[in-house]
Amino acid sequence: MSMLTPPGMGGKYRITGDSYPRMRRPRRRRRIVAASVAATAALGVLSWGTVQLLDAFTGGGTTVRAAGDGGECEPAGDDGNDRDGAKGGASAAAARSAENSGASPGALPKPSAITVNVYNATTRSGLARKTADALEKRGFTIGEVANAPASLDKKVKKAGLLMGPPAAYRNGAFDVLLTQLPGAEVRAVERKAPEDGGKTGGGDGKKAPGKNAAEREVDLVIGKAFKALAEEKDVREAMAALASPSPSPSPSACR
């Protein structure tokens, strides 16, 4: 008999043993889950309301599109051929040059009026001579042909580097030569008068004829990304674009 049952008292139910049940509050998992769902729903409604509010204030200009939707606008940029300075890309480069050129379309110099000094800044031997011969066949006057100076040797990462006096921007010498190597970088430099009376040391020393020939003398430094000059067909198209530049397109409305 248990100590909790008074003597002499019987009954159907008796408490026996020496262990007592521990009472604890019921778990509140359901409440926690319900609160999380409600908070998530409220956050979603708030976000959607913000989008609608922005749409109202911007006049309906905000458009939400999924990634990979294939938008109507694509960023403008040079294509791979422009970067390589190889086949193709000459027309696009000429179009950009025509917009920035200071020379009028009718005043563009002929290739024979441009003196090109060709320098090789790569580890490929004979590249300067080969490129110079190709330019000479295309009508350019070739000046010095040699390896690049130490300040440029193996330091030109692009297809090429065009260097000439600032006047080469105005007279179109840069533009015409850029059609041959659309991936080249253009840099204006001040020239010093040659100490040897105008003759160059590594080539035939030729100079283009005509007045102000020094203003149409451009150095072509062949860079690491050089593959080949542009195809003659692409060059003709590029020259046509320079001679008859099309109007600049209006800025895109895409953001």
Side-chain angles (χ1 to χ4, degrees), residues 100-224:
N100 301 324
S101 175
S104 60
L108 291 173
K110 295 181 179 181
S112 59
I114 302 173
T115 301
V116 184
N117 302 314
V118 186
Y119 301 102
N120 184 10
T122 73
T123 58
R124 291 173 281 176
S125 61
L127 192 58
R129 173 53 61 186
K130 180 180 179 181
T131 304
D133 291 343
L135 288 173
E136 189 172 23
K137 290 180 179 179
R138 298 185 181 190
F140 290 89
T141 300
I142 302 301
E144 184 175 9
V145 180
N147 291 327
S151 59
L152 294 172
D153 190 29
K154 302 180 184 65
K155 296 179 182 179
V156 180
K157 304 300 181 182
K158 293 188 176 182
L161 171 63
L162 303 184
M163 298 192 304
Y169 280 115
R170 299 188 299 270
N171 59 34
F174 278 145
D175 301 325
V176 174
L177 189 54
L178 194 60
T179 63
Q180 306 289 332
L181 193 60
E185 177 186 353
V186 180
R187 185 184 304 172
V189 294
E190 293 292 345
R191 292 189 181 278
K192 295 182 180 180
E195 298 178 357
D196 56 357
K199 295 183 179 180
T200 54
D204 298 331
K206 294 181 180 179
K207 296 289 183 180
K211 185 179 180 180
N212 300 325
E215 295 182 353
R216 298 187 302 275
E217 183 175 355
V218 179
D219 296 341
L220 169 56
V221 184
I222 303 173
K224 182 178 180 180

Side-chain angles (χ1 to χ4, degrees), residues 64-76:
V64 179
R65 289 185 294 185
D69 188 32
E72 297 178 358
C73 298
E74 297 180 358

